Amino acid sequence: MTAETDTQTTAVYKVTGMTCGHCEGAVTAELTALPGVTSVKAVATTGEVTVVSAAPLAEADVRAAVDEAGYELAGRV
């Protein structure tokens, strides 16, 4: 899912391997560090991560950030 407004883009990704709040925090920290990201909400129970950014993000950048956190990006929801 991707929603675009005049100033922000929202994308939802599926991340595998998250099981707890610590996992959510690790993924959130790495994705928040990407340029243009304004908010991240990771939910371990569903494996969904919602990212709001100033412009669409390159999937390779999102994948690298999720990998750095120790999890795997399964793709967009």
Side-chain angles (χ1 to χ4, degrees):
M1 175 182 133
T2 301
E4 294 185 31
T5 65
D6 290 338
T7 58
Q8 294 187 328
T9 298
T10 301
V12 180
Y13 299 94
K14 186 74 167 181
V15 175
T16 59
M18 292 190 303
T19 59
C20 64
H22 179 269
C23 300
E24 293 169 351
V27 170
T28 298
E30 290 297 333
L31 289 170
T32 300
L34 292 176
V37 172
T38 56
S39 81
V40 176
K41 179 175 171 89
V43 181
T45 55
T46 62
E48 291 187 357
V49 180
T50 303
V51 181
V52 179
S53 57
L57 299 172
E59 187 168 328
D61 293 341
V62 174
R63 184 173 305 281
V66 170
D67 286 348
E68 184 65 28
Y71 304 94
E72 184 177 345
L73 179 68
R76 284 188 149 177
V77 174

